[in-house]
Amino acid sequence: MEPVRTCVGCRARAARSSLLRIVARDGALVIDEKAVLPGRGAWVHDTDKCVSTALQRRAFGRALRVSTPLDTAELDARTTRESLQRNG
């Protein structure tokens, strides 16, 4: 039986393999592709909708238990790049 996690964007439960793990490293959100980085992780569907919803709701800070603002540049770049690939 595969582990189940909750997406911080849409709050839906899904298999761990279908979600992307995000961790806070040095004040920035970092994508943990292999889910092996140390520390608390937040799980989100790898879709623009879920990532943008989580960013708007400031869900990453709560899930990661970080009180300082987090740099979202890596996530923003990934969602922008994927949007361009789909639309262009």
Side-chain angles (χ1 to χ4, degrees):
M1 184 171 183
E2 188 171 1
V4 176
R5 301 288 185 258
T6 301
C7 173
V8 295
C10 66
R11 304 294 300 156
R13 292 170 51 110
R16 178 180 161 170
S17 61
S18 67
L19 297 171
L20 187 64
R21 185 173 186 254
I22 309 295
V23 296
R25 305 280 309 227
D26 300 323
L29 293 177
V30 177
I31 299 168
D32 185 6
E33 296 280 348
K34 297 182 181 179
V36 295
L37 291 176
R40 182 174 289 276
W43 298 84
V44 65
H45 285 109
D46 195 9
T47 63
D48 294 340
K49 183 178 177 185
C50 284
V51 171
S52 62
T53 301
L55 290 171
Q56 287 175 346
R57 293 178 47 231
R58 296 188 177 122
F60 289 113
R62 284 192 305 276
L64 298 172
R65 296 184 183 175
V66 177
S67 58
T68 59
L70 295 167
D71 180 19
T72 61
E74 185 175 344
L75 277 180
D76 292 337
R78 181 184 178 108
T79 55
T80 301
R81 184 174 58 246
E82 289 179 357
S83 293
L84 290 174
Q85 287 176 350
R86 270 188 243 123
N87 298 330

